[in-house]
Every structure is written in C-alpha cells, then in structure tokens.
Amino acid sequence: MNAPGTTESAEAIARARAGDQEAWGDLYREFAPAIFRFCRRALPTREDAEDATMEVFMKVRDKLHQYDSTRPFTSWLYKVAANHCWDLLRRRKIRQDKETEDLDTLPLEHPDPSQLEQLIEKRTSEEVRKALDKLPSRARMALVLRYYSDMSYDEIADALGVRRAFVGVVLLRARHELRQALEGSGALAVGGAG
Amino acid sequence: MSSPPGTNLQNTGTPHLDEMTILLYLERQLDRARAAEVSAHTQECSSCRLLLRALERESRLLTRAMLEEEEPLPARLTSFQEAARRSLQWIWMLTFGLAATGVYALYTSYVEPVQNRLQDAGFGGTNLLGLLIFQGAFWKGWQSMISLVEVLALVTLGTFTAMVLRRRLRRGSMLAMLLAGMCGVMLMPSGTTATEFRKGQNTEVTSSEVIKSDVFLSGDRMSVDGTVEGDVYAFGRTLDVTGHVLGDVIVFARDVTVTGQVDGNVRSFANNLTLRGTIGRSLTIFCEQLKLDRSGKVNRNITSFADSFLLDGHVGHDIVAMNGRFDLRGQVDGDIRLRSEVFTIESSAQVGGPIHYKGTKPADVSPQAKLASAVDYEHVDKDREHGGGAHYYFWRLLWSAAFILYGLVLILLMPNFAGDCVRSAENAGASLGLGLLVGISAPIAAGIACITFVGFPLGILGFMLWLIMLFSAQIVFGGLIGRWILGPTEDKWGRVGRMALGMAIIGVVVPLIHYVQILDLIFRIAAMTWGFGAIALTLYKRVAVTPSIPIPPPIAA
C-alpha cells in the first residue's frame, strides 16, 4: 500500500469524521473499488465480495472515530476488511484452521531455482488468479494480505490469529500450494536441490 | 520445527540456504546480522542467488496478478447505500416482531394444548422440554426452573450475546470464561439433591433401612425392600421393589417387579414389567411385556409403549398406549387412547371413560364388559400406520424425482439466478427472517389486493409468484445442502449435481423423521422458509441493481 492517505483523502476523512455526508461519499467512491477487489480476492464468490464490501464500509463508517489519523488510512481500511473477511470465513467454517502445529511439517529445503524460474516465466496473471481461487482460505488470505494489501507481518499475524514468527511459514506454505495449483503437481513445492 | 523459521539457517544439512530463510531475507524479516550473512552467502552461491531472484519474481507476479484485473465494480456498490441499510434494519425489527408473535401463537395454539394433553396422559410435567428429556428425571431441578418460553428467551439472549462477542470468541480466555459459565450453570441444580450410590452384584435397600435421599442402584440383582424417601434410579438386570418409595422410580433393567408401594411415578425402559403393588402417580413404560396384576394399581395414568400389555388391575385415570397387543381385564376409571394391532376387552373389564382405538382390526369386546360407551374404532391401514409401506416410499421417491426434475429445469433456465439464490441461502439469518416475513405477508397482501377490483390481477399474479417461490424453496434448500457438502461451484451442471444431492438427502431424511410427526413438520417448515427467504433476498438484491461503472485504478500499485 504505497499510496496512503493523500492530502485530499486526509481532508475528506476529517470531514467525514465530523459527519459530512458528501465527504463520506467521496471517501467511499475513492476506496470502494480497492476494497471490493480485496474482498474478491479473499472470498470464494463475487456475491460474497459484494456483500462484504458493503459491510466493511458500514463498519468503517461506524468506527471512523477510532481511526488514528497519524497512520495511513488505507492500512486501517485493509485491516478492517481483512478482519471482516476472515471473520466471515470463520463463521462459515470454511476457513481451514491448520494452526501452528501443522506448520511444523514444512520442510526447510532448497528448491531448484531454474524450475521455479520456468514456472513463473510460463504463467500469466490470469492463470495465477485462477490458481489463487483454488487455494484454501488461509493460504489465499495470507497471500492477499501480503501481496495485495502490502500488510506487515505483524498485521498479518493479527488478522489471521497466528504468532508473528509463523507468518513466514504460512506465506511459504501458501506459495507452495499456489505452485502446486499452477503446476498441477507437487514437484516444486517440496523439491530440493540439496 | 521447534523454533521459528529463520533461526536455524545453517542447520539444514545442505550447503545452500533453505527457501524459508531466503524468503524472510527477501521480505526484510531477518535481523541485521543474519541478513548480512545471507547477503554474503548469495554473493558467493549462484544457486541461492537464483532462488532469491526467482522468489522475488514470484512476489512481483503475485502482486501484479492481484492488482491487474479489470473487473467492473458491481452496480449496487457504486454508492454507499445507507438507505438500504436502514430499510434492512426495519426488516429485521419487523421480522423479529413477527417471529415472536408467531412463536407465541404457535405455543398457545399447538404446544400448550399438547402439553396439557400429555400432562393429563400421565407425564405430569410442567413443560414440553421436561417431557422430551424424560420428565426431567436426569436433570432434577431444571424441570421446575425452566419453561419453554424461558428456554426461548435464553436462546434469544444467548444468540445476541454470541453475536456481540463473536469477534472476542476467537480469544481463548473469552471462550474459557463462557465454557466455565455454562458448566457453572449446569452444575447449579445438582447441588439441590443428595444422592446415595450403591453398586455390586446384588445391591439392595434392606427392609430395615430408611434412606432419606435419592438412591442410585446398579448391579445384576437390585432390590428395594426398605424405605426410600427420595427417588430411586436403577440400572441393572433385575429390580424388585417390595418396600416403599416416596419419590419416583427411574429404571433401566431387563425385569422389573413392583410389589411394594411407589408414591411418585415409575418411568421404565425394561423387557418385562410386572406390577403387583401400587403406584401413587403415573407409569410411563417402554417395554416388551407389561403386566398389571389383579392386585396392581396405578392411581393416575399409564403411558405405555409395549409389545404386549395385560391389564388386570386398576388404573385411576387414563391410558395412552401404543401396543402390539392390549388385553383389558381390569378397571380403568378414565379414558383409553390406544393404537394397537390386537385389542381384547374381556368380561371382567370396566372402563369409566370413552375408548378411542386405532388399529388394523376392530376390538374383540366381551358383551359382559362394563363400558361407559362403545369403542370408538378407527381403521388404519397397516402400511400407513407404520409410515413405511412400499406405497409411501414409492410416493416419496416420485416426489423427490419430480422436485429434482423441476430444479433441473429451473437451473438450466436461470443458471445465474439459481446460483444467486443458493448463495443467498448461505446467509441463514436473513433467509429465514425474510422467508418468515414474505412467506406470511405476501399471500395476505395478495388477498387484500384481490379484494379491491383494480388490484385483482396484481393480487392473482402475486399469489401465483408466491406459489412458485414456495415450490422452488425446497430446491434452493437442496442446493444449499449440496453446496455445503461439495463446496461452491460456478458450473451449471455442478449446481444441478449439488441440488440433486441435496434433494436426495432431504428425500432420505424426511422418511426417517416421518415417524416423529412434529419433527417432520418442523423440518419441512424450516426448509421451506429458508429457501423461500433466499429467493426473496435474491429478488431484493436484483431489484436494487443499477447500471455498473468501470472500476478506477487500485489504491496500491
């Protein structure tokens, strides 16, 4: 998120906090597309993403007074969206709660870089998006938080409810799963060059 | 991995850095010293350098893929719909009010009369819940504390609490506190009664003993020859009660014989029960053979589910029985409500109230029997009586097939709408709420419209739409069950498969619970309401749609 609250946004936020409807409308129009896309990436269906986007903004509006204006607005916005989406998945029990003990099984190996290069070389963005849709909720959410929202490891740990020390493992596991989905086999996910 | 990743960089057994370490280095998550080590290593090691570059490219590919897509912002998100939010709040309030009224109406119209009837029939409880958990026998204390309305109130309060605390429930401490609270509440009633426990091959309360509390017996042969001032709970092979029990007797045993006196009720699951003594209140029995000897007496009611029931003694009030065979020789002062295959009333029999008998053949009544009125006989077809005849299953199968076919047509005609309906159904609260609201209000509105001449066509159309929705509701619910089992799909035939699976499951569940009629009814109403609400919700969302606009560039790049 390298476009945190511009001066215009900061003014709009201040006015929206003061109850200015027009300012709130401006804020919504500015950020709704990005939040919708975030929800689209994090949740299984478009319908879910639409509902979630609206609900996120309802929450944002209710909690706007809690926003610390010294920090980037978009970070806070994504945090609210991440919590909402993760909560939604949890409520539906489709979140796969492989907690930290499961992470122990990740081997510390050194995959063949040329194979990985080849895989990345061949794949288009669309293929990656389709592969992302096939991932389990936790893996998909972790990748979205990191590579779409640009969240820090601390923020990801907080959103996913894992220890900070394991965020890297969650991300690496997610990458492995993504490669499996892209490749159709697990060769690269666990392959090591020794 | 007992320690967090990145702390055992050099212990991988290879000359190369592991992928985890390189990823953490790339993402600037290593401390300065470790990062310097990794940096130095990648300068020298071409394989690790290549892996670092590959991971970096993978990160870029991921970010690009997520940001790149140009998907139009859905029309209903083009502006913040505060108005819609408010209207939904009203819908919720109205729904809640209607639901509360509905529950009250249901309670006063159906549950309460049934409760009273059951009370008259010998259950003597204060609530239906108490009956369902076997007259509160194993939950003493609850029975008098909780009424059905209180249960509803508690459930509502619990739901609201869970909604308010749902985010915090993720924290272990909050969950632990809630569990502790629940355990505390459950333990509360247990302190009110002291219980004596006796175990062994032969457990007995000897004739000289007087037990002031409840007694819990388990063993091969159990007997109560003395006096028990509380209740008797017995689990074993045989039980003989020759003494005096002032409370109830709850027994699970093969053979039970009561020759003494029980002032309270007797509730029993047994193979054979023989009563030669007196039961002060009522007898409820699930058994193979029930025998009330000439000297046996039940002061109030008998509720019997027995294969064979021989009544030679005296019953002070009514009998409600579902038996394979019922032989009446003794005296019943009240009514008899009976379902049985064979019913014989012998010459010595006396019945003070009406006799309602449902069976496969008429009762064999001795002309010498003293009856207050003739037997009110209703013939029941054997297959229908058992609810499981070939005829019944054939029609269930036919109906399920018809529904699946109807669902297939709907999905093929309107794949997107069908998919949206099933997705809406995942929102259980809104679906059930709207289902209740629209399901009740739409036909009323249609009826009112029909009264006014101008609105007649509109009313008829509305009513037809309501009917179509009602028939489609079960299909939506079937689709939801299929989706729960096989997961979401955007494929048309995938939806058909899920719907068919769900309908097949409904087709299996309904005959299974058909034996318990109220459960069957509740299941059907819930499924209908749920599906109906999902359709209504989807229609609402469709109506709210306005033209879409292209999506602006993303916030982040």
Side-chain angles (χ1 to χ4, degrees), chain B residues 114-373:
Chain B
V114 170
Q115 227 178 296
N116 293 338
R117 186 150 208 104
L118 288 165
Q119 195 166 349
D120 291 343
F123 287 96
T126 54
N127 60 72
L128 193 61
L129 189 79
L131 167 72
L132 291 176
I133 54 174
F134 201 55
Q135 189 63 18
F138 304 106
W139 302 88
K140 285 192 76 67
W142 279 98
Q143 192 185 341
S144 56
M145 289 165 59
I146 297 179
S147 72
L148 188 67
V149 176
E150 284 164 342
V151 169
L152 285 174
L154 280 174
V155 168
T156 311
L157 192 67
T159 309
F160 277 116
T161 311
M163 281 168 70
V164 171
L165 296 177
R166 68 184 191 278
R167 194 177 291 273
R168 293 179 190 278
L169 281 177
R170 285 164 66 181
R171 295 173 197 277
S173 56
M174 181 58 75
L175 197 63
M177 213 170 82
L178 274 180
L179 283 174
M182 280 168 67
C183 290
V185 169
M186 287 178 80
L187 283 172
M188 269 166 58
S190 66
T192 58
T193 312
T195 304
E196 187 168 331
F197 291 86
R198 296 190 180 186
K199 279 194 227 174
Q201 184 76 14
N202 299 316
T203 49
E204 58 180 344
V205 178
T206 57
S207 55
S208 56
E209 275 186 286
V210 176
I211 294 178
K212 301 276 183 191
S213 64
D214 296 347
V215 63
F216 189 105
L217 305 174
S218 69
D220 199 34
R221 292 170 58 85
M222 305 167 291
S223 61
V224 179
D225 300 327
T227 302
V228 178
E229 293 187 356
D231 299 336
V232 174
Y233 299 87
F235 298 83
R237 202 161 67 89
T238 63
L239 172 72
D240 290 313
V241 180
T242 54
H244 187 186
V245 179
L246 275 69
D248 294 348
V249 174
I250 316 296
V251 54
F252 291 78
R254 197 188 68 184
D255 298 307
V256 180
T257 311
V258 180
T259 46
Q261 183 173 339
V262 178
D263 290 351
N265 302 289
V266 173
R267 317 285 182 197
S268 172
F269 288 88
N271 268 38
N272 306 303
L273 188 141
T274 307
L275 177 65
R276 299 193 185 99
T278 303
I279 295 175
R281 298 193 69 190
S282 300
L283 168 67
T284 309
I285 172 93
F286 295 81
C287 71
E288 198 177 322
Q289 277 197 321
L290 170 62
K291 194 175 171 192
L292 199 70
D293 274 0
R294 191 176 292 270
S295 58
K297 188 175 179 188
V298 176
N299 284 344
R300 295 192 68 183
N301 310 290
I302 292 181
T303 307
S304 149
F305 300 89
D307 190 42
S308 163
F309 181 9
L310 170 63
L311 197 158
D312 202 5
H314 180 227
V315 178
H317 283 65
D318 306 334
I319 292 179
V320 176
M322 192 179 282
N323 303 127
R325 178 185 179 90
F326 183 26
D327 294 299
L328 178 60
R329 293 178 196 162
Q331 183 182 342
V332 179
D333 294 344
D335 307 354
I336 296 178
R337 288 189 169 271
L338 174 71
R339 279 189 181 218
S340 180
E341 287 183 27
V342 179
F343 183 24
T344 312
I345 302 177
E346 299 188 13
S347 56
S348 56
Q350 290 182 46
V351 180
I355 303 171
H356 303 282
Y357 166 51
K358 285 185 183 177
T360 51
K361 56 184 178 186
D364 179 8
V365 185
S366 164
Q368 282 82 38
K370 292 174 185 168
L371 308 181
S373 60

Side-chain angles (χ1 to χ4, degrees), chain B residues 97-114:
Chain B
L98 271 175
T101 313
V103 167
Y104 180 73
L106 193 73
Y107 180 76
T108 51
S109 312
Y110 296 99
V111 179
E112 211 169 32
V114 170

Side-chain angles (χ1 to χ4, degrees), chain A residues 21-109:
Chain A
Q21 294 295 321
E22 201 177 324
W24 169 252
D26 291 343
L27 271 184
Y28 177 81
R29 277 187 292 279
E30 184 178 352
F31 295 111
I35 293 301
F36 169 67
R37 196 185 291 107
F38 173 90
C39 296
R40 188 76 182 90
R41 297 276 164 267
L43 298 172
T45 67
R46 185 184 170 89
E47 184 80 10
D48 289 335
E50 288 179 22
D51 290 347
T53 304
M54 191 52 76
E55 285 155 10
V56 165
F57 275 95
M58 285 174 183
K59 281 187 180 172
V60 166
R61 188 180 171 131
D62 289 344
K63 294 181 176 178
L64 202 55
H65 64 280
Q66 293 176 10
Y67 162 60
D68 175 4
S69 54
T70 60
R71 307 193 63 187
F73 180 66
T74 44
S75 296
W76 181 72
L77 197 57
Y78 278 132
K79 196 176 170 186
V80 175
N83 285 336
H84 181 79
C85 291
W86 193 233
D87 225 26
L88 202 70
L89 293 168
R90 184 175 60 82
R91 278 210 304 271
R92 291 186 188 175
K93 295 180 181 172
I94 56 175
R95 201 179 88 180
Q96 299 182 357
D97 270 331
K98 290 177 184 168
E99 286 302 342
T100 47
E101 68 276 6
D102 213 26
L103 304 174
D104 289 348
T105 57
L106 190 79
L108 292 177
E109 288 181 353

Side-chain angles (χ1 to χ4, degrees), chain B residues 19-40:
Chain B
E19 191 183 7
M20 182 81 259
T21 305
I22 296 178
L23 179 67
L24 292 176
Y25 171 74
L26 181 67
E27 306 230 316
R28 298 175 193 280
Q29 300 299 319
L30 296 180
D31 60 56
R32 186 170 293 183
R34 189 70 72 198
E37 277 177 36
V38 173
S39 176

Side-chain angles (χ1 to χ4, degrees), chain A residues 1 5 59 172:
Chain A
M1 218 157 8
K59 281 187 180 172
L172 185 57

